[in-house]
Amino acid sequence: IVSAKDVPAGDTILGVVIAISENRYADNSCVTAVRIYKNSAGESCLTVLDMIADRFRASELAIHLARFTQKHSPRTVLIEKSVSHDLIQAEINRAAFNFGITIPVWWIPIDKQKSAKFIRLKGLETLLMAGRLKFANGDYIDSFFRELTKQDGKKSSSSKKDDRCDAVGIVQRMFVPAIGGINAVDLEETKKILAEQRQKAMMNQNYARIFGSSSVLPSVPEAPVRNYFPHLSR
């Protein structure tokens, strides 16, 4: 655990896990802010800055996302593209309009590879053991560590949630692969998509300001499906 003021400069990314349900046994939704930077050896590292998780309605999640965007000024916001993403995007547009900000959402494909949950956990563990995953001190620490210590790669239950880990894992999977690597073509493609998503978010905000906060423009092409761990998914 490090002090927030000691976290190196870099790109801040928001990782979002959505589980919209009012059922008492449902999974939680989670928003986490993560800083990505290079260490002295030139390796990509990440530090968790902030996190909130609970059973949120879509409108509540959008408000928390707007507050995190306002607080952390992320380069992009990663959310897995569920079947209800259009409705959630409309809530995000409304929250962005009300807060007077741009929320640069990047809808990424849901990870469907075999043992995806286990691979995400192993990726975080690998970075942690290598000193490339750290945590800024904050109110989220205790609840996150309680969740982390219960993880075994199996399905979540009423007594064992994995939403906080998944939110960090989304950022790690897309930007700081712990095993294998991303080639130069993938990196350039990622930069291009990020630029498109930021422009799209600004267009959405301007469109909503003129025609109403619930308006949703057609989305840009979604992030490509990549297998960062081919040798583990056989």
Side-chain angles (χ1 to χ4, degrees):
I1 299 176
V2 299
S3 172
K5 65 181 179 62
D6 293 329
V7 179
D11 289 325
T12 298
I13 310 295
L14 298 189
V16 182
V17 167
I18 298 176
I20 305 299
S21 175
E22 297 182 10
N23 187 308
R24 61 182 296 189
Y25 299 113
D27 289 337
N28 293 323
S29 293
C30 180
V31 181
T32 186
V34 178
R35 177 73 51 78
I36 298 175
Y37 54 93
K38 299 284 188 179
N39 62 16
S40 58
E43 299 170 314
S44 294
C45 303
L46 53 86
T47 294
V48 179
L49 303 175
D50 200 358
M51 185 180 295
I52 186 170
D54 208 336
R55 297 186 185 94
F56 300 126
R57 293 189 295 271
S59 57
E60 294 173 328
L61 178 64
I63 290 172
H64 286 299
L65 182 54
R67 287 173 177 165
F68 264 55
T69 299
Q70 198 172 53
K71 179 179 179 181
H72 297 286
S73 301
R75 178 181 178 185
T76 194
V77 178
L78 300 179
I79 312 178
E80 288 191 322
K81 190 174 184 178
S82 65
V83 293
S84 60
H85 77 279
D86 286 344
L87 297 176
I88 297 168
Q89 181 67 70
E91 293 292 347
I92 292 173
N93 289 349
R94 186 175 294 109
F97 174 80
N98 291 335
F99 277 72
I101 61 174
T102 295
I103 303 178
V105 175
W106 178 8
W107 293 100
I108 62 175
I110 294 176
D111 188 358
K112 296 181 179 180
Q113 65 178 311
K114 185 179 179 180
S115 303
K117 230 175 248 299
F118 174 76
I119 292 172
R120 285 196 294 271
L121 287 172
K122 291 300 292 183
L124 293 179
E125 180 187 32
T126 300
L127 291 174
L128 182 63
M129 297 302 293
R132 295 169 58 197
L133 169 60
K134 298 181 180 179
F135 309 91
N137 192 26
D139 295 336
Y140 72 93
I141 287 288
D142 290 342
S143 55
F144 177 71
F145 279 20
R146 279 197 300 270
E147 179 179 294
L148 191 62
T149 56
K150 295 180 181 179
Q151 297 310 305
D152 54 11
K154 297 180 181 179
K155 188 176 180 181
S156 63
S157 65
S158 59
S159 61
K160 180 175 68 69
K161 304 298 182 183
D162 53 19
D163 317 284
R164 294 172 176 85
C165 297
D166 270 353
V168 179
I170 285 175
V171 180
Q172 178 268 317
R173 177 168 65 97
M174 299 304 296
F175 287 98
V176 190
I179 306 171
I182 307 176
N183 60 40
V185 174
D186 287 334
L187 285 175
E188 287 304 313
E189 185 176 16
T190 295
K191 291 178 181 178
K192 179 181 177 181
I193 291 173
L194 286 176
E196 290 175 344
Q197 287 296 136
R198 181 169 291 278
Q199 182 180 24
K200 167 62 166 45
M202 295 177 66
M203 290 173 61
N204 263 342
Q205 183 182 358
N206 292 333
Y207 195 84
R209 185 179 295 113
I210 298 172
F211 298 105
S213 60
S214 62
S215 302
V216 181
L217 294 176
S219 60
V220 300
E222 66 181 24
V225 179
R226 303 183 187 127
N227 182 2
Y228 291 144
F229 314 101
H231 58 294
L232 293 181
S233 59
R234 292 172 184 167

